Amino acid sequence: QTCALRSGDGGGQIWRFDIGDISNTASWTGTIIFKGSGKIFYRPDVTFENDRGSGTYDMLFFGTGDREKPNDTSFVNTLYAIKDYDNDTNPPTPLPLTETNLVDVTQDFLQSNATQADKTNFLNSLRTKSGWYIRLNQSPGESQNPGEKCDGAAVVFGGVVYFTTFTPSTASGV
């Protein structure tokens, strides 16, 4: 029986540690499964999924944000959902994953006036790619949130993922 633990680091990477026989620590392994940018301070939340084409996988939800510099507005942080085929010896995408393996859902394409065919293609990309991401501080129009960052662990409850974020005040003197 193997147990998989996941953890992020200050370099934007997600690690998977596979722990098997407690008396044989030499068999334990650590693998970088995702390389991004930004600091990951909080553990990912995990759901267990079944893809009819690629088998079972774990979906990891996490975000980036530098809690050591809460008022920094110079970095664009990201919310992520990535697929980890930890029980599959031949994952659909070689590790480590990067943003090029994910779908950018920042602009909420499914709520746009796109054609049904374009929306179907977009949904197929979500099924076949290794996850998705949302850029923070990318609000359209005049409601931008410079410096927005993920400031807590993602939580999945009732089939919905929740992220908490923080945006520094841009008021003068703060």
Side-chain angles (χ1 to χ4, degrees), residues 10-21:
Q13 302 175 121
I14 292 286
W15 291 75
R16 181 182 64 233
F17 299 97
D18 294 308
I19 300 172
D21 182 359

Side-chain angles (χ1 to χ4, degrees), residues 6-15 17 40-44 62:
R6 281 88 168 192
S7 182
D9 67 23
Q13 302 175 121
I14 292 286
W15 291 75
F17 299 97
I40 303 169
F41 278 99
Y42 303 96
R43 60 161 177 73
F62 59 96

Side-chain angles (χ1 to χ4, degrees), residues 4 19 23 28 57 59 66 68 94 116 122 126 128 137 144 146 154:
I19 300 172
S23 64
W28 297 5
Y57 62 89
M59 184 68 96
D66 191 346
E68 296 170 329
Q116 188 57 45
F122 185 77
L126 285 170
T128 58
N137 184 31
Q144 299 228 351

Side-chain angles (χ1 to χ4, degrees), residues 126-147:
L126 285 170
R127 280 186 208 96
T128 58
K129 291 277 201 160
S130 296
W132 52 261
Y133 65 90
I134 297 173
R135 290 267 188 261
L136 298 176
N137 184 31
Q138 299 296 303
S139 302
E142 298 183 24
S143 61
Q144 299 228 351
N145 300 309

Side-chain angles (χ1 to χ4, degrees), residues 81-94:
I82 63 168
K83 297 176 184 178
D84 180 13
Y85 290 87
D86 64 337
N87 294 321
D88 189 347
T89 57
N90 187 20
T93 306

